[in-house]
Amino acid sequence: MTLVFCAYNEAAHMPAKLENIARLKARHPDLEVLAFDDGSSDATYQLLSARPDLLSVVRGGGRNGKAHGMKLLAARATGEIMVFTDANVTLREDALEALAAWYADPQVGGVCGALHYLGSDTSATASVGSRYWRMEEHLKAEESRTGNVMGADGSIFSIRRALYPEFPDTVLDDFTVSMAVVFAGKRLIKVEDVVAYEGLVASRKDEIARKIRIAARAFHTHSFLAPKLARMGGLDKFKYASRKILRWFGGGFLVIGALSFVLAMLAISWPLGLAAAAAIAAAVLAGLRMTKGPLASIMEIVIALIATQIGVFRAMRGQTFAVWNPAKSR
């Protein structure tokens, strides 16, 4: 089994990450751990390279991006099972033995773990993020119960190394790699006993940048995988369209709904229409100023939808996001 992760300016998370790896290797001495440092300007590389007893680290020549780094690590991996995680994520100590048990079924080609988020009470952004991810975890579980999960989250998933695909640096590597399992005719499942932990993004600014980047990469990923997606079965196509594609346009639906409401009020009377527009504007301004409470939470949902829509529009215009910057508010 090979555990892989990429890092960029994650020095603050390295002590906990290295301690977690040490605990995993104590239980699994043969575990291979590979890390890619994407040209960090802090002490990330130094901290990783100081522990050759725990892992092997590859350093990129400047910023190359996570997808590029993961491909380099996959080429070096020797384990039959590749476990993918992030630099700021820790695994429960029994995660790997629980994971290995699921691969006793030869039809299982990939396993998505259970991600537990920490810090939901730090801000409205984190609170909404926690609720969103709980819903995502539930949907993945239902997808798994009815066949295949439509893509994994990069924080904790695994595949059989033989299924690792080729792909460009501009796509979402976690989605592309995990969906290769489905395209190969194997099962991609969601399980609850392979547990990982990650802190939530607490800053609205960080979350907006993250949503835009992920949405743009998701659109490019869809374009790259379109021929294979078209060959999926009807149920998997429904899952993919309903959970992936529809969310890209949620911001547009929201704006159209708000404009339609104002126009409907204007059709009744000008004062009523102006009052509706003023009420919406006042709610938006108030929500932007708040950091906690119901209105702040609603505003976070609206911002997430709009940011996702912006990311899709940027991708449609040809903009790509190959590199990433870790959220400072995690």
Side-chain angles (χ1 to χ4, degrees):
M1 190 176 290
T2 301
L3 176 71
V4 298
F5 66 93
C6 295
Y8 173 72
N9 285 358
E10 295 277 12
H13 294 287
M14 284 303 100
K17 185 69 174 180
L18 291 169
E19 180 183 355
N20 184 235
I21 292 172
R23 291 177 180 273
L24 293 173
K25 285 188 71 79
R27 295 174 70 114
H28 306 276
D30 295 332
L31 175 67
E32 179 181 49
V33 182
L34 304 176
F36 174 78
D37 177 76
D38 197 29
S40 296
S41 58
D42 64 3
T44 298
Y45 176 73
Q46 288 74 19
L47 291 168
L48 289 171
S49 59
R51 296 303 306 269
D53 56 316
L54 295 181
L55 55 84
S56 298
V57 58
V58 176
R59 194 173 200 189
R63 297 305 310 275
N64 297 283
K66 182 183 175 185
H68 178 84
M70 281 299 187
K71 288 187 288 186
L72 292 179
L73 298 182
R76 289 166 169 75
T78 61
E80 180 185 345
I81 306 300
M82 290 188 65
V83 184
F84 300 84
T85 185
D86 288 333
N88 64 323
V89 172
T90 57
L91 275 60
R92 200 168 70 184
E93 289 185 34
D94 64 349
L96 297 182
E97 50 257 51
L99 179 66
W102 291 100
Y103 282 101
D105 182 350
Q107 289 303 309
V108 172
V111 177
C112 306
L115 185 59
H116 294 189
Y117 276 99
L118 308 174
S120 61
D121 58 347
T122 56
S123 69
T125 301
S127 177
V128 170
S130 175
R131 294 171 194 168
Y132 168 81
W133 283 110
R134 286 201 300 270
M135 180 176 67
E136 275 286 291
E137 291 287 289
H138 174 72
L139 290 174
K140 288 178 183 177
E142 289 301 301
E143 288 180 347
S144 181
R145 186 178 63 83
T146 56
N148 292 311
V149 180
M150 290 296 99
D153 178 82
S155 299
I156 175 63
F157 79 99
S158 63
I159 69 163
R160 297 186 187 273
R161 181 166 57 89
L163 300 177
Y164 196 86
E166 295 183 0
F167 51 88
D169 292 349
T170 54
V171 302
L172 289 171
D173 62 284
D174 47 8
F175 183 78
T176 303
V177 170
S178 58
M179 285 301 290
V181 172
V182 179
F183 300 149
K186 298 292 185 178
R187 287 199 65 203
L188 178 63
I189 63 173
K190 167 77 164 65
V191 302
E192 300 302 324
D193 59 349
V194 179
V195 179
Y197 303 94
E198 182 176 15
L200 287 157
V201 175
S203 163
R204 181 178 289 171
K205 180 180 179 181
D206 284 347
E207 187 66 3
I208 290 173
R210 180 176 170 275
K211 289 289 187 184
I212 291 174
R213 173 176 54 83
I214 291 175
R217 289 173 69 91
F219 183 84
H220 288 300
T221 304
H222 171 79
S223 300
F224 173 69
L225 295 178
K228 294 179 180 179
L229 292 168
R231 293 195 293 271
M232 292 193 305
L235 180 58
D236 282 347
K237 285 180 179 177
F238 171 77
K239 292 177 186 179
Y240 177 77
S242 60
R243 190 163 74 85
K244 296 294 184 181
I245 296 180
L246 283 180
R247 74 176 61 178
W248 297 348
F249 303 101
F253 296 151
L254 187 66
V255 171
I256 291 171
L259 289 175
S260 298
F261 173 70
V262 171
L263 290 174
M265 294 301 99
L266 285 171
I268 297 173
S269 72
W270 280 97
L272 193 58
L274 293 175
I280 293 173
V284 169
L285 291 174
L288 289 173
R289 287 197 296 267
M290 294 182 177
T291 57
K292 290 188 177 182
L295 186 57
S297 295
I298 292 172
M299 197 65 227
E300 292 296 334
I301 296 172
V302 171
I303 289 172
L305 292 171
I306 296 297
T308 298
Q309 187 74 81
I310 291 171
V312 171
F313 284 155
R314 287 188 180 182
M316 287 179 171
R317 295 199 304 268
Q319 186 174 355
T320 60
F321 292 80
V323 299
W324 85 105
N325 290 297
K328 296 179 181 179
S329 61
R330 282 194 189 274

